[in-house]
């Protein structure tokens, strides 16, 4: 049903420092396993997060092989269905430019800025040289974060063949990671089990052996080095053809960057070129790490056998940050100010997430569901003050009574 002007909009939970309060934690934590799921090299997984975006969110066993409903939809499933219908209307009425063109243009503009960035590094003067570093740093993160994220969700194009091509280009060539593992870990696990302990709880971002200041201020500088090392280790879990393709793409991406610094930017020493690569590739590494922990960790966590339905899982376990011109360009709206919308409808582009944001926020508030929002600075100080609790110790499991 359509949303009516004047309907009361009341939040479905009080927020304290960006967290939903009034949810009693349960002591203890289980270690759920991902039953029925195989590694990326296999062929089966029970969670298909990409299939949830614009259709009715039915529970297991809700539909017979012939497609007839076995039972009436539960209230939670009806909510997701209703919201999906509202979003579907917006998507169908949107042009190709709104669905894909805007984000493709941002990526294209980033490519066009590459020559200017490399040429600015030829200057012996500080201002042009720093402009080159800034340009290449922003372009690198736009391609590796925004481009890879959109490609992993097939949000750049409606063609399956081109989606595969763009995924290999942005994830493997630009980001030095393997498509199969990136898609499996992010799309199938993180999106399928958002804030479920042991699965999609963002634990891959936790390094409990580091203290808060090292983690928040120094560790992000190592992201350009750690990313390919982690990718190489994960190649053991994919087929040899995929591993060989990834190795070739990784080498080509690194060598092209290195060659351009030597022959276009005029670096005389290999070490100076490698140092410039490290600086530009880590320019926005701090907000990249911060955003990944701010938007999930510290929010309610669930056990695999007690997780709520999809609309509650995403409204409770995902948080939006305010819009920021630099981060909006480099990371995309779906990772900054529209993260809730992205988790509910993951195959939509950044621009479409921004377009449906008023509808999603109004709907969740109208239905008395949480719509978590907080500022970057507020989350930053929260993590500095409660680092041990949020990033070192295991989070308590949340039990929500009366919604399952």
């Amino acid at each position: 049903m359509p949303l009516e002007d004047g309907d009361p909009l009341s939040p479905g939970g009080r927020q304290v420092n960006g967290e939903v309060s009034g949810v009693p934690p349960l002591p203890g934590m289980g270690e759920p396993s991902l039953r029925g799921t195989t590694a990326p090299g296999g062929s089966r997984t029970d969670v298909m997060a990409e299939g949830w975006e614009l259709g009715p969110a039915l529970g297991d066993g809700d539909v017979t092989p012939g497609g007839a409903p076995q039972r009436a939809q539960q209230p939670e499933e009806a909510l997701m269905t209703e919201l999906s219908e509202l979003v579907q209307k917006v998507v169908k009425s949107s042009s190709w430019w709104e669905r894909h063109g805007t984000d493709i243009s941002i990526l294209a503009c980033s490519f066009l800025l590459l020559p200017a960035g490399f040429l600015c590094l030829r200057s012996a003067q500080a201002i042009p040289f720093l402009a080159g570093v800034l340009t290449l740093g922003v372009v690198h993160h736009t391609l590796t974060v925004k481009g890879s994220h959109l490609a992993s969700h097939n949000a750049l194009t409606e063609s399956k063949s081109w989606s595969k091509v763009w995924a290999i280009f942005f994830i493997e060539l630009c980001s030095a990671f393997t498509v199969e593992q990136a898609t499996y870990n992010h799309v199938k696990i993180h999106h399928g089990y958002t804030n479920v302990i042991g699965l999609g709880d963002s634990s891959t971002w936790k390094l409990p052996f580091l203290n808060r200041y090292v983690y928040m201020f120094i560790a992000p500088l190592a992201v350009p080095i750690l990313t390919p090392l982690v990718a190489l280790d994960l190649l053991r879990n994919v087929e040899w053809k995929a591993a060989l393709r990834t190795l070739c793409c990784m080498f080509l991406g690194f060598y092209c960057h290195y060659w351009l610094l030597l022959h276009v930017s005029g670096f005389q020493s290999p070490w100076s070129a490698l140092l410039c690569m490290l600086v530009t590739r880590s320019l926005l590494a701090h907000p990249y790490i911060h955003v990944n922990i701010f938007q999930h960790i510290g929010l309610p966590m669930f056990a695999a056998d007690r997780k709520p339905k999809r609309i509650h899982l995403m409204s409770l376990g995902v948080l939006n940050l305010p819009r920021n011109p630099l981060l909006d360009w480099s990371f995309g709206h779906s990772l900054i100010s529209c993260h809730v919308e992205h988790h509910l409808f993951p195959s939509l582009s950044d621009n479409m997430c921004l377009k449906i944001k008023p509808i999603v926020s109004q709907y969740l508030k109208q239905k008395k569901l949480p719509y978590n929002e907080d500022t970057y600075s507020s989350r930053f100080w929260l993590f500095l003050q409660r680092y041990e609790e949020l990033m070192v110790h295991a989070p308590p499991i949340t039990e929500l009574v009366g919604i399952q």
Side-chain angles (χ1 to χ4, degrees):
M1 67 179 178
L3 298 177
E4 298 178 358
D5 294 335
D7 286 346
L9 301 180
S10 58
R14 189 175 77 255
Q15 294 183 15
V16 180
N17 290 329
E19 297 180 68
V20 179
S21 63
V23 182
L26 284 181
M29 181 183 72
E31 190 65 26
S33 60
L34 188 57
R35 294 185 295 274
T37 302
T38 60
S43 60
R44 179 169 178 249
T45 179
D46 286 341
V47 177
M48 296 298 292
E50 288 301 306
W52 289 346
E53 57 273 358
L54 291 177
L58 300 179
D60 294 336
D62 286 346
V63 178
T64 63
Q70 290 182 334
R71 55 182 168 80
Q73 286 187 343
Q74 295 180 356
E76 297 84 4
E77 296 160 354
L79 289 174
M80 189 64 202
T81 301
E82 186 178 26
L83 178 58
S84 297
E85 291 174 351
L86 293 172
V87 171
Q88 178 71 6
K89 292 179 181 178
V90 177
V91 174
K92 287 183 176 180
S93 64
S94 300
S95 64
W96 176 88
W97 180 263
E98 291 175 305
R99 296 196 309 272
H100 303 292
T102 300
D103 293 296
I104 291 176
S105 297
I106 292 174
L107 295 172
C109 287
S110 297
F111 278 114
L112 295 176
L113 287 172
L114 282 173
F118 283 110
L119 290 174
C120 282
L121 293 179
R122 296 181 63 91
S123 176
Q125 299 179 357
I127 293 179
F129 184 84
L130 292 177
V133 171
L134 178 62
T135 300
L136 291 183
V138 172
V139 168
H140 171 76
H141 285 85
T142 304
L143 300 181
T144 59
V145 180
K146 179 183 177 71
S148 295
H149 188 234
L150 290 174
S152 70
H153 287 287
N154 300 322
L156 283 172
T157 176
E158 295 170 9
S159 167
K160 292 184 178 180
S161 299
W162 277 107
S163 291
K164 180 65 174 178
V165 171
W166 290 127
I168 293 174
F169 177 80
F170 285 110
I171 298 175
E172 298 191 351
L173 187 69
C174 298
S175 305
F177 216 80
T178 175
V179 168
E180 286 77 8
Q181 284 290 336
T183 303
Y184 178 78
N185 291 327
H186 180 72
V187 178
K188 300 295 188 282
I189 303 302
H190 175 65
H191 274 267
Y193 295 91
T194 302
N195 278 26
V196 173
I197 299 294
L199 295 173
D201 60 356
S202 301
S203 59
T204 54
W205 296 102
K206 295 181 180 180
L207 299 174
F209 55 89
L210 297 179
N211 69 48
R212 67 195 68 199
Y213 300 106
V214 172
Y215 182 89
M216 300 291 282
F217 296 103
I218 300 177
L221 298 174
V223 167
I225 299 173
L226 294 177
T227 298
L229 294 178
V230 172
L232 291 174
D233 181 65
L234 292 176
L235 289 180
R236 299 175 300 172
N237 301 326
V238 302
E239 296 180 352
W240 71 269
K241 292 181 180 179
L244 180 60
R245 181 201 67 219
T246 300
L247 288 173
C248 292
C249 288
M250 290 173 62
F251 173 78
L252 181 61
F254 279 115
Y255 183 76
C256 287
H257 192 176
Y258 175 75
W259 187 90
L260 288 168
L261 288 174
L262 289 179
H263 295 86
V264 177
S265 300
F267 281 84
Q268 301 299 316
S269 165
W271 291 109
S272 62
L274 292 174
L275 178 61
C276 184
M277 288 178 62
L278 177 63
V279 171
T280 55
R281 288 172 178 247
S282 62
L283 187 70
L284 297 179
H286 287 82
Y288 173 72
I289 292 294
H290 296 165
V291 164
N292 274 284
I293 63 175
F294 289 172
Q295 293 180 315
H296 296 287
I297 299 175
L299 297 172
M301 300 282 180
F302 306 94
D305 59 347
R306 283 179 285 171
K307 68 182 181 72
K309 294 294 183 179
R310 178 172 176 75
I311 192 167
H312 289 94
L313 187 66
M314 301 310 172
S315 65
L316 286 163
V318 187
L319 178 141
N320 284 345
L321 295 170
R323 294 192 62 176
N324 178 287
L326 177 60
L327 299 185
D328 286 346
W329 178 277
S330 302
F331 296 171
H333 300 299
S334 60
L335 290 179
I336 306 299
S337 62
C338 303
H339 204 51
V340 174
E341 289 75 13
H342 168 65
H343 267 259
L344 286 168
F345 305 100
S347 71
L348 296 183
S349 65
D350 289 331
N351 187 63
M352 281 307 302
C353 284
L354 185 64
K355 188 173 181 179
I356 68 168
K357 181 182 175 72
I359 295 174
V360 173
S361 62
Q362 183 182 8
Y363 184 84
L364 292 180
K365 293 173 182 177
Q366 184 185 52
K367 298 301 180 180
K368 295 181 169 56
L369 291 171
Y371 186 78
N372 297 311
E373 295 179 295
D374 202 359
T375 64
Y376 191 104
S377 60
S378 174
R379 299 299 286 179
F380 183 85
W381 290 111
L382 173 69
F383 273 74
L384 276 184
Q385 294 167 2
R386 299 174 55 188
Y387 181 83
E388 293 289 329
E389 174 188 348
L390 299 177
M391 301 294 289
V392 178
H393 302 305
I397 293 176
T398 299
E399 181 182 27
L400 297 178
V401 179
I403 67 168
Q404 292 182 259

